[in-house]
Amino acid sequence: MITLDDFQAYLNADDINAAMKSACQAAIASPELMHLFMERFVKYSSSYSHSVPTLCGTIGRSEQFCDPQAAIARHSNRGMDVAAKVFSASIEEFQDPRTGVSHRTLAYALLDELVAYAGLSDAAVERVIEAESWLDDMTQFVQAAYRAEPNSLEQMVRAMGFHAAAETIGGNEFSIINSIFFSGQREGDFGQFIKQHKARFAAGTVSPWYWIVIHGTSTTEGVELGHADDAIQALNLAARYSSVSEGQIVEWAGQGVRQLASIQTRFFQRVQQEIRESAGLSVAA
């Protein structure tokens, strides 16, 4: 049976967490830098959200996943069963059950409040967004990591490994952001600002910080935990419904895990670099 432990050597979670923490610590130096960090994080995260269904469609139409115990060989395709375990990560992304809106809309609601907290004009926000061109290569990397050919078991499993790693790390990144941005400033100006404001939707009213905490904190389990379990189950189904060994599945998936570790570390290191550069410009001005 394949478990998360099979991928620890590929993941380097401690290094990734350290990069996340450093970027977050740099961001809380000012309200403007907090907004900058979150603008970049929201766009980077969204590249995962809309890429997952693409992989699900590929797996679902593939002929590579068949049940050897099926009574009739022509009725043995189980691609949709494998895809379902991957797709579970998309359900809340498209519609949060409490608010009835997508996670992207929740993220934008938080960004709106961060703009207000920093006292930024529309022009200032536009300048921040226009300066994010460096992020395009990273979001394109993520999208490419989720793409595979339906006739290539190796490509699909590698993409599934990338997805499993993303869901495993996802809870960590939101927990770290919550700990440094909010918990560490709970009694300060930012913590009080968040407590005093609400994000209102037709189906419900929540804290602007809701998008962060539903993914997990240091004391609560978020949606990513179940998604990570399902992603590992998808790999086990891939082994069950294909002709290759569990060891081969782990090897191919491990390549995707390594890709995730690389892009995740690069993103947080690069956003920290931008934060430092922006802070330097502010001081010079």
Side-chain angles (χ1 to χ4, degrees):
M1 182 177 180
I2 299 170
T3 70
L4 183 59
D5 289 341
D6 292 313
F7 302 107
Q8 294 302 329
Y10 299 93
L11 200 52
N12 297 321
D14 289 343
D15 291 343
I16 299 171
N17 289 344
M20 293 181 198
K21 290 176 182 177
S22 293
C24 290
Q25 290 287 359
I28 61 171
S30 74
E32 294 81 4
L33 295 177
M34 292 171 67
H35 166 256
L36 171 60
F37 172 92
M38 202 62 72
E39 282 282 2
R40 301 295 182 258
F41 182 66
V42 167
K43 181 171 181 179
Y44 174 69
S45 298
S46 71
S47 65
Y48 289 82
S49 303
H50 61 69
S51 297
V52 174
T54 300
L55 175 59
C56 295
T58 299
I59 297 170
R61 72 175 186 270
S62 175
E63 298 291 335
Q64 297 293 311
F65 304 103
C66 296
D67 186 352
Q69 297 181 344
I72 300 174
R74 289 287 189 176
H75 300 167
S76 66
N77 189 305
R78 298 295 182 265
M80 289 295 287
D81 299 85
V82 179
K85 294 299 182 182
V86 177
F87 187 72
S88 72
S90 290
I91 296 173
E92 292 95 344
E93 289 291 339
F94 285 92
Q95 187 175 59
D96 172 68
R98 182 172 175 182
T99 60
V101 300
S102 70
H103 279 194
R104 182 182 296 179
T105 297
L106 293 173
Y108 285 156
L110 173 57
L111 284 174
D112 289 348
E113 295 297 339
L114 288 173
V115 167
Y117 178 64
L120 298 174
S121 65
D122 289 350
V125 174
E126 190 62 25
R127 285 194 295 273
V128 170
I129 294 173
E130 287 178 350
E132 68 181 12
S133 58
W134 63 265
L135 191 51
D136 291 342
D137 286 344
M138 295 194 183
T139 58
Q140 290 168 14
F141 180 98
V142 172
Q143 292 162 19
Y146 273 100
R147 285 197 293 269
E149 291 297 325
N151 63 348
S152 173
L153 180 62
E154 179 178 355
Q155 290 181 18
M156 288 185 290
V157 171
R158 182 168 60 242
M160 290 162 65
F162 184 88
H163 171 67
E167 295 302 327
T168 300
I169 291 297
N172 290 353
E173 64 187 357
F174 282 93
S175 177
I176 289 169
I177 291 170
N178 180 68
S179 176
I180 295 173
F181 273 64
F182 183 74
S183 297
Q185 305 186 90
R186 186 185 302 274
E187 304 306 324
D189 291 343
F190 180 66
Q192 295 304 309
F193 179 88
I194 290 295
K195 291 176 185 177
Q196 293 165 8
H197 289 75
K198 298 293 182 184
R200 292 178 171 82
F201 306 99
T205 298
V206 295
S207 164
W209 202 243
Y210 176 71
W211 179 62
I212 299 295
V213 298
I214 58 175
H215 290 87
T217 70
S218 60
T219 58
T220 62
E221 295 179 352
V223 295
E224 247 72 5
L225 181 63
H227 298 166
D229 290 342
D230 282 346
I232 295 297
Q233 287 186 45
L235 291 171
N236 278 292
L237 288 178
R240 176 181 175 183
Y241 294 137
S242 69
S243 58
V244 302
S245 66
E246 282 190 359
Q248 183 64 79
I249 294 293
V250 169
E251 181 182 339
W252 287 340
Q255 295 170 12
V257 172
R258 187 177 285 116
Q259 285 180 318
L260 184 282
S262 173
I263 192 63
Q264 192 81 346
T265 303
R266 283 171 51 204
F267 167 74
F268 283 103
Q269 289 175 340
R270 183 61 182 85
V271 77
Q272 182 178 3
Q273 178 185 336
E274 184 182 19
I275 287 169
R276 287 174 172 170
E277 291 169 351
S278 181
L281 290 173
S282 298
V283 170

